[in-house]
């Protein structure tokens, strides 16, 4: 990944902490001599996105096993998660949800905190909340990028750069795919989301190769503030159905978007009450063009 004009939080230490103890070492990128050619066959990739509501279901009961079961049922290769707690608070039993879900699903994980706060007590862990990416494929690189945010943790916030826009590069049988997960501002005023879209597109523009951007956009695909996305990306699941609320959804605000050249062969939402959102899953075909 190339350097950015906006500062990114490098992920080396986070990757080491997230992958150690439960997962094999990440595979090294293919050498130029062994890299697949531009005309290699397309490879399948199933990608999902899910706002997990910090492990609480539509019934507001925290049950991370239920969350894991819902994720397992997607049978996805890569999953973007939003509203992930890591030692955040009593609502999620101070669990490290990113690591716990990775262990339950036997997947690699990269966690990208939006908020990183002091421990609740002297002997506690730092309290973090953000997004994550789970992957069955080797992860070659990862970054936690900054985008514009309006903090929920400070009084009288003003829009400012803050982390929590995750990017991983996964090796899908020779295709180096950039997968991003995001959680955009929830407020009725679209101005922060508009700035966030511009920031995300700036990050994507610095990367070459196939790209998949997923997340909770807190706006429907037709919202004016999302319009710039469709100049560069394609909505992969326009007919998949609503995602929010999980019971009888009336909005489709959880989106999977793909760059030109990625073929969509299937897309659906999944009816589950393991969160207040429904997950979206897409089947893609990606050409092995390198990184």
């Amino acid at each position: 990944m190339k350097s950015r004009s906006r500062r990114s939080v490098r992920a080396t230490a986070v990757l080491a902490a997230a992958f150690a103890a439960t997962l094999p070492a990440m595979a090294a990128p293919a050498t130029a001599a062994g890299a697949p050619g531009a005309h290699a066959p397309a490879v399948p990739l199933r990608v999902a996105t899910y706002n997990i509501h910090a492990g609480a279901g539509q019934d507001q009961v925290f049950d991370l096993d239920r969350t894991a079961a819902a994720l397992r049922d997607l049978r996805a290769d890569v999953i973007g998660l939003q509203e992930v707690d890591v030692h955040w608070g009593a609502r999620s039993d101070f669990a490290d949800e990113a690591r716990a879900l990775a262990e339950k699903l036997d997947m690699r994980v990269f966690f990208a905190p939006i908020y990183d706060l002091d421990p609740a007590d002297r002997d506690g862990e730092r309290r973090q909340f953000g997004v994550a990416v789970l992957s069955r494929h080797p992860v070659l690189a990862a970054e936690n990028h900054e985008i514009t945010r309006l903090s929920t943790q400070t009084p009288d916030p003003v829009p400012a750069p803050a982390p929590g826009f995750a990017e991983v590069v996964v090796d899908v049988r020779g295709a180096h795919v950039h997968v991003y997960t995001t959680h955009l501002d929830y407020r009725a005023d679209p101005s922060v989301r508009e700035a966030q879209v511009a920031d995300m597109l700036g990050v994507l523009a610095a990367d070459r190769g196939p790209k998949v951007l997923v997340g909770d956009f807190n706006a429907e695909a037709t919202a004016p503030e999302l319009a710039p996305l469709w100049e560069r990306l394609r909505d992969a699941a326009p007919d998949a159905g609503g995602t929010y609320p999980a019971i009888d959804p009336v909005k489709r605000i959880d989106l999977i978007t793909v760059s030109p050249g990625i073929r969509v062969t299937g897309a659906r939402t999944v009816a589950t009450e393991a969160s207040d959102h429904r997950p979206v899953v897409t089947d893609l075909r990606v050409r092995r063009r390198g990184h």
Side-chain angles (χ1 to χ4, degrees), residues 51 82-83 114 131 147-150 164-165 181-187 190 192-200 213-219 225-226 229 253 255:
N51 180 324
Q82 304 85 46
E83 293 195 17
I114 297 171
V131 301
I147 61 175
T148 300
R149 295 196 182 278
L150 192 61
F165 179 40
T181 188
T182 195
H183 192 181
L184 301 191
D185 193 76
Y186 64 91
R187 296 167 179 88
V192 174
R193 286 191 299 279
E194 183 177 7
Q196 290 174 326
V197 166
D199 293 340
M200 292 190 303
L213 167 63
V214 312
D216 176 359
F217 287 74
N218 272 307
E225 65 267 28
L226 300 192
L229 286 175
I253 60 175
L255 307 177

Side-chain angles (χ1 to χ4, degrees), residues 53-56 61-62 83-85 88-94 97 129:
H53 197 215
V61 174
F62 172 69
E83 293 195 17
V84 181
D85 282 359
W88 180 257
R91 71 180 184 187
S92 50
D93 290 344
F94 290 92
E97 294 185 336
F129 171 85

Side-chain angles (χ1 to χ4, degrees), residues 22-24 72 101-108 135-136:
T22 61
L23 297 167
R72 188 177 296 111
L101 289 171
E103 291 175 349
K104 291 175 186 293
L105 298 170
D106 193 25
M107 297 177 77
R108 299 165 177 84
S135 177
R136 299 193 189 284

Side-chain angles (χ1 to χ4, degrees), residues 252-291:
R252 188 173 69 93
I253 60 175
D254 301 271
L255 307 177
I256 296 178
T257 73
V258 298
S259 61
I262 295 180
R263 185 158 62 94
V264 181
T265 60
R268 61 191 173 95
T269 58
V270 178
T272 172
E273 297 177 19
S275 170
D276 60 345
H277 290 240
R278 289 187 177 185
V280 184
V281 59
T282 57
D283 288 303
L284 311 174
R285 302 284 295 186
V286 183
R287 291 208 170 270
R288 293 182 287 176
R289 293 175 177 169
H291 174 52

Side-chain angles (χ1 to χ4, degrees), residues 36-47 77-78 137 169-179 208-213 234 236 256-266 282-291:
H39 301 293
V43 293
L45 177 65
R46 176 171 287 186
V47 176
D77 302 307
V78 180
H137 293 291
V169 183
V170 293
D171 184 354
V172 185
R173 295 167 55 188
H176 295 180
V177 184
H178 296 256
V179 180
R208 293 182 300 151
K211 305 175 183 67
V212 182
L213 167 63
R234 179 161 57 100
I256 296 178
T257 73
V258 298
S259 61
I262 295 180
R263 185 158 62 94
V264 181
T265 60
T282 57
D283 288 303
L284 311 174
R285 302 284 295 186
V286 183
R287 291 208 170 270
R288 293 182 287 176
R289 293 175 177 169
H291 174 52

